Amino acid sequence: MSRFFSGSALSLGVVRTIVCGTFLIATLATSFQALGQLPVTILRPTGLMKFIPWGFYERLLTPVGMYSLKTALLLSLLLSTMGFLTSASTKCSLVLVVFYQGLVRSFGHYNHDEMVAVYYLAILAFTPCGDAFSFDHWLRLKKPNQPPFAYGFPVFLMQLLMAWVYFSSALVKLRVAGLTYLSADNFPVLAIFHSLDNLHDTNFRLAFWLPQIRSVLPFVVGLVLVWELLFPLAVFWRRSRWLMLGLGIVFHIATLLFMNIFFPYQLAMYLVFVDWDWVAGWMKRS
Amino acid sequence: MKPHTSRYWIIKYTIVTFALFTPLLWSFRYIRNAYPFTVWNVMMAGGDLQTGRNFFVLRGETVSGQTIDIRPIKLTNALSARTWTMVSATVFNQNFRLSSLHPENTRLLDQFGSVEKLPLGARVPELLTTWGNLYNNQLPSSSPARLKAIRLDMYRWSSGRYADYDTFVESWRKEL
């Protein structure tokens, strides 16, 4: 088991850059000013967000409020991506990202795309992820002086979390729908429903072709369930890793093209399965 | 940071693992989402052809007299992947069914007496005004492509077959 837990400071540092960098890029590309113009009266605070008073939302959903939130997010995520004052900046990023993701979910629904990355941020906030591949290291504020377990276990935990996402998703489907989940109409009905409006992020129309092949769709849905149930192999059996992740990429591209539902954050988080020490060694050699 | 022993990290990571997985397992056990904890219940129920479904199309009427489709993701991109549920929840007045209502919503609810007596989409006009203004702000004031009105059209797919997807139900229109 110890081979799963052993890792390097470099590997953990790269993962920190990927996770925080993903949120940083997304924040840069998002119009907070437009979000701030939405009427606060349509907000439906979810979970933890219910504990925040309406007066706070009133002040937040203004040009000044949203500008302040975006500035704080950008600054904090930039520092944690760079690995500067890492211990404080990753914790600050965690708090701000949890708040922001809760805010957008309070307008819409509790979707799952970003959640794995949010949990990765939570894990990183309590690790020595600034000991290498960071400004803290280059400025000699930190050095990789912890045992390999301190760097390896967080990455293992992140991989385990990704496996839980797919594995539990398959179990929930089987618990709720049972074998009716394999009905011929399941996939085409959902896909067409998500292709009828113009409120989704994309407007692919491939779903309307699915009824023509509905007899084979139970097998396709069944294979997806099997893949989800077997995803933990990607953590424990390295030889299967690239097959499982490759199927994951195909799956998420298919949900985009057929259902107009995409999980970009989740795909970006597949990078925690890369052996970054090997990549660094290969780059040095070449 | 001073070097810590393996024992220190084992204890610390045990706490982190339990703090993360205990609520996740609870969410999974009861299939309940309690932000920031979640159960991955996407598409868990599957699709049924006989169940009717509502959907919405956002449209604008331009100054030049054209009717155009408007994609809200280009106006409020922060709501990525969540716009369709925000619209549906607003149309069905889900924002009036909270344990703690926004004071303005409480006032409106008092006028009507109960959620059931509220007109469908009580807050849709405000949402349409926001989207209409955001759209027009992207264009010069003299542009014929600017909107004079914006509307949300609601349709229902209840045919029970793979045809006749868009039976018109209702429309909300807002002059800008």
Side-chain angles (χ1 to χ4, degrees):
Chain A
M1 217 42 194
S2 63
R3 73 189 171 100
F4 295 114
F5 302 158
S6 189
S8 73
L10 172 81
S11 193
L12 188 60
V14 173
V15 167
R16 183 206 71 245
T17 303
I18 291 166
V19 175
C20 298
T22 303
F23 280 114
L24 178 65
I25 293 166
T27 306
L28 273 170
T30 300
S31 171
F32 280 53
Q33 186 252 348
L35 179 68
Q37 291 185 44
L38 286 172
V40 69
T41 47
I42 66 168
L43 201 66
R44 292 168 296 115
T46 179
L48 203 62
M49 307 303 285
K50 289 177 185 167
F51 296 101
I52 298 171
W54 283 108
F56 182 82
Y57 289 119
E58 289 278 3
R59 281 184 211 101
L60 180 71
L61 291 171
T62 57
V64 176
M66 293 316 285
Y67 180 78
S68 307
L69 177 60
K70 182 165 182 171
T71 305
L73 265 166
L74 285 177
L75 191 64
S76 179
L77 287 167
L78 182 67
L79 292 180
S80 42
T81 303
M82 288 165 36
F84 186 56
L85 305 172
T86 317
S87 184
S89 64
T90 49
K91 289 180 180 67
C92 184
S93 294
L94 170 65
V95 172
L96 289 169
V97 167
V98 166
F99 173 75
Y100 172 67
Q101 293 297 331
L103 178 69
V104 287
R105 277 163 182 76
S106 298
F107 277 109
H109 68 289
Y110 194 163
N111 69 321
H112 296 91
D113 177 27
E114 298 96 336
M115 291 317 295
V116 166
V118 171
Y119 299 145
Y120 284 7
L121 209 50
I123 294 168
L124 287 168
F126 300 98
T127 65
C129 61
D131 284 4
F133 204 71
S134 66
F135 271 68
D136 281 342
H137 178 63
W138 292 324
L139 297 171
R140 299 181 190 283
L141 297 171
K142 285 179 187 274
K143 53 184 178 181
N145 57 359
Q146 306 297 332
F149 176 80
Y151 303 113
F153 185 80
V155 176
F156 170 76
L157 193 57
M158 290 181 205
Q159 294 173 352
L160 206 59
L161 203 52
M162 184 66 82
W164 173 250
V165 169
Y166 293 111
F167 182 73
S168 65
S169 170
L171 287 186
V172 165
K173 285 168 194 155
L174 292 173
R175 269 173 67 191
V176 173
L179 289 179
T180 59
Y181 201 79
L182 301 175
S183 85
D185 288 320
N186 176 10
F187 182 31
V189 168
L190 287 177
I192 288 172
F193 170 64
H194 286 284
S195 306
L196 287 168
D197 64 26
N198 70 351
L199 307 182
H200 283 66
D201 298 355
T202 52
N203 197 21
F204 292 107
R205 312 283 287 175
L206 275 176
F208 295 95
W209 168 72
L210 289 173
Q212 294 175 38
I213 55 158
R214 65 188 283 281
S215 58
V216 299
L217 293 177
F219 299 102
V220 176
V221 173
L223 283 175
V224 170
L225 280 177
V226 170
W227 164 72
E228 287 185 316
L229 288 169
L230 293 179
F231 199 90
L233 287 178
V235 182
F236 296 105
W237 187 26
R238 284 189 183 226
R239 282 187 183 180
S240 71
R241 180 169 290 181
W242 302 114
L243 173 68
M244 302 311 284
L245 296 180
L247 289 173
I249 292 169
V250 171
F251 168 73
H252 285 296
I253 290 175
T255 61
L256 172 66
L257 297 176
F258 285 101
M259 308 182 87
N260 293 295
I261 292 173
F262 195 42
F263 281 62
Y265 279 83
Q266 192 136 322
L267 281 178
M269 296 306 115
Y270 277 15
L271 291 171
V272 300
F273 286 92
V274 173
D275 183 345
W276 292 106
D277 291 316
W278 182 88
V279 173
W282 176 78
M283 286 175 80
K284 267 184 193 165
R285 284 194 297 275
S286 60
Chain B
M1 188 194 280
K2 65 173 186 180
H4 292 289
T5 61
S6 290
R7 183 184 157 80
Y8 167 88
W9 289 109
I10 288 170
I11 294 169
K12 183 170 182 175
Y13 287 158
T14 302
I15 295 168
V16 170
T17 305
F18 271 95
L20 196 59
F21 270 95
T22 306
L24 287 179
L25 288 169
W26 177 86
S27 289
F28 172 72
R29 168 71 181 80
Y30 296 102
I31 312 182
R32 273 192 68 180
N33 286 300
Y35 187 80
F37 294 100
T38 188
V39 51
W40 277 267
N41 56 349
V42 192
M43 314 285 170
M44 66 174 177
D48 174 10
L49 195 55
Q50 302 310 317
T51 307
R53 288 162 190 269
N54 301 308
F55 65 95
F56 303 89
V57 179
L58 185 68
R59 294 195 170 100
E61 297 166 23
T62 67
V63 174
S64 61
Q66 280 185 308
T67 298
I68 54 168
D69 276 15
I70 296 175
R71 302 191 65 80
I73 189 64
K74 292 183 177 171
L75 305 173
T76 42
N77 67 355
L79 292 173
S80 166
R82 291 167 282 255
T83 312
W84 63 284
T85 42
M86 179 184 76
V87 168
S88 178
T90 307
V91 164
F92 292 105
N93 292 327
Q94 295 297 324
N95 43 336
F96 290 89
R97 297 175 193 274
L98 307 174
S99 53
S100 166
L101 290 181
H102 185 277
E104 291 288 326
N105 288 345
T106 307
R107 224 164 287 146
L108 191 64
L109 200 57
D110 288 343
Q111 286 174 23
F112 283 88
S114 70
V115 182
E116 287 68 34
K117 290 176 185 165
L118 270 177
L120 217 54
R123 292 294 181 196
V124 168
E126 286 96 321
L127 179 60
L128 290 178
T129 304
T130 301
W131 274 337
N133 290 337
L134 284 169
Y135 185 90
N136 279 342
N137 288 344
Q138 295 174 347
L139 299 168
S141 56
S142 58
S143 170
R146 283 174 72 90
L147 303 180
K148 62 178 181 191
I150 187 166
R151 69 172 204 255
L152 182 71
D153 296 332
M154 178 177 168
Y155 297 89
R156 189 163 175 81
W157 173 24
S158 55
S159 62
R161 54 201 178 91
Y162 293 110
D164 303 325
Y165 296 110
D166 47 359
T167 304
F168 178 77
V169 178
E170 192 169 348
S171 190
W172 292 262
R173 188 174 180 278
K174 183 73 185 172
E175 295 271 353
L176 298 169

